[in-house]
């Protein structure tokens, strides 16, 4: 029986350990034993909080997707322009390459939003693993649909704001939001599959060009 008061910390550690194991071994290779080892606890503790591998994987998927919205919401300020808000969105959805492989995965809010972090290589691997699973599993599809419904609305709201201020000129904000998220997922896959741009460089520039296409000539 876990110590009273330790439940939130233990759950957070197990979710972070699960994401780390999935990034390293894939969903098929992730086991409750490996999660327990990484979280420095017994397998019994894992099953106390999460009744099965599927339950743990789905909860980790939810936490992974929620991470992006939390980081974006934390950095967006009301005084920003719409394009500045989109820059913040892109910074978190598809972060620039950086040497952060020594850092660990943390999607817990227990210590605030700032310490939350997923190294970019882990982000790409996790995208591939989870979305491959969602292609065939209805339970994972439900998680994607619920999460991205919120994201579509959030991004579309920024675009609508840009349209209202004259900074952007986008005919259908929801289609534009849909296209952006689809592009981010594809670019993330190309990163982990090591598919480079023909002329080299960071493939996030493709996403940046797409976002710049939202701008109105009057708003530039």
């Amino acid at each position: 029986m876990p110590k009273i008061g330790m439940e939130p910390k233990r759950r957070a550690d197990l979710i972070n350990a699960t994401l780390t194991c999935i990034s390293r071994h894939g969903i098929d290779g992730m086991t409750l034993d490996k999660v327990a080892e990484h979280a420095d606890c017994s397998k019994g503790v894992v099953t106390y909080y999460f009744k099965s591998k599927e339950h743990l994987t789905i909860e980790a998927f939810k936490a992974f997707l929620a991470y992006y919205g939390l980081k974006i919401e934390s950095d967006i300020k009301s005084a920003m322009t719409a394009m500045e808000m989109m820059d913040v969105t892109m910074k978190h959805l598809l972060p620039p390459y950086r040497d952060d492989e020594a850092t660990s995965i943390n999607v817990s809010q227990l210590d605030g939003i700032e310490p939350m972090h997923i190294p970019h290589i882990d982000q790409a691997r996790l995208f591939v693993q989870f979305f491959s699973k969602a292609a065939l599993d209805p339970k994972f599809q439900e998680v994607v649909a619920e999460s991205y419904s919120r994201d579509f609305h959030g991004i579309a709201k920024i675009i609508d704001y840009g349209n209202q201020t004259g900074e952007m000129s986008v005919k259908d904000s929801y289609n534009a939001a849909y296209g952006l998220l689809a592009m981010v997922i594809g670019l993330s896959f190309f990163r982990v599959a090591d598919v480079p741009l023909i002329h080299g460089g960071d493939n996030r520039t493709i996403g940046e060009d797409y976002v710049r296409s939202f701008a109105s000539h009057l708003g530039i």
Side-chain angles (χ1 to χ4, degrees):
M1 183 77 174
K3 294 180 181 178
I4 295 174
M6 286 294 292
E7 288 86 350
K9 177 69 165 59
R10 182 61 82 185
R11 287 181 66 90
D13 288 345
L14 292 173
I15 291 295
N16 288 333
T18 299
L19 291 172
T20 301
C21 289
I22 291 173
S23 178
R24 293 179 180 178
H25 308 291
I27 290 177
D28 290 341
M30 182 273 284
T31 66
L32 299 185
D33 287 317
K34 287 178 182 176
V35 171
E37 180 181 0
H38 191 81
D40 193 24
C41 67
S42 69
K43 183 178 178 180
V45 171
V46 180
T47 55
Y48 175 85
Y49 289 101
F50 304 98
K51 59 186 178 182
S52 65
K53 174 180 174 176
E54 180 184 60
H55 180 208
L56 179 55
T57 306
I58 288 175
E59 292 304 309
F61 189 21
K62 290 178 180 178
F64 172 67
L65 292 177
Y67 163 87
Y68 295 93
L70 291 168
K71 295 292 279 188
I72 291 168
E73 289 173 10
S74 175
D75 281 356
I76 285 181
K77 311 302 178 187
S78 60
M80 287 180 173
T81 65
M83 288 304 290
E84 287 172 338
M85 293 179 183
M86 288 304 303
D87 286 343
V88 168
T89 301
M90 282 299 295
K91 180 186 76 173
H92 290 298
L93 288 180
L94 195 67
Y97 280 118
R98 59 185 182 275
D99 185 15
D100 59 2
E101 293 185 12
T103 60
S104 58
I105 295 174
N106 175 27
V107 296
S108 169
Q109 302 178 59
L110 291 180
D111 296 320
I113 302 296
E114 185 62 30
M116 294 174 67
H117 179 68
I118 308 177
H120 80 261
I121 188 61
D122 293 302
Q123 291 186 39
R125 289 171 178 167
L126 289 166
F127 262 113
V128 172
Q129 286 295 316
F130 283 128
F131 280 86
S132 296
K133 185 73 173 178
L136 298 174
D137 192 317
K139 292 182 180 179
F140 284 78
Q141 290 169 8
E142 290 177 8
V143 174
V144 173
E146 181 178 349
S147 175
Y148 278 112
S149 176
R150 292 192 298 269
D151 293 339
F152 291 146
H153 281 81
I155 295 173
K157 187 175 179 180
I158 295 173
I159 296 171
D160 286 338
Y161 172 62
N163 284 339
Q164 292 167 10
T165 60
E167 189 183 0
M168 294 182 180
S169 180
V170 179
K171 184 177 180 181
D172 189 321
S173 60
Y174 282 95
N175 278 354
Y178 186 99
L180 178 60
L181 288 173
M183 182 177 294
V184 164
I185 293 169
L187 292 173
S188 294
F189 173 75
F190 275 14
R191 277 184 167 189
V192 76
D194 197 22
V195 181
L197 291 174
I198 294 175
H199 302 295
D202 191 338
N203 71 4
R204 78 186 305 272
T205 58
I206 303 297
E208 292 174 330
D209 288 344
Y210 180 72
V211 169
R212 279 195 290 268
S213 73
F214 298 168
S216 165
H217 291 297
L218 296 176
I220 296 175

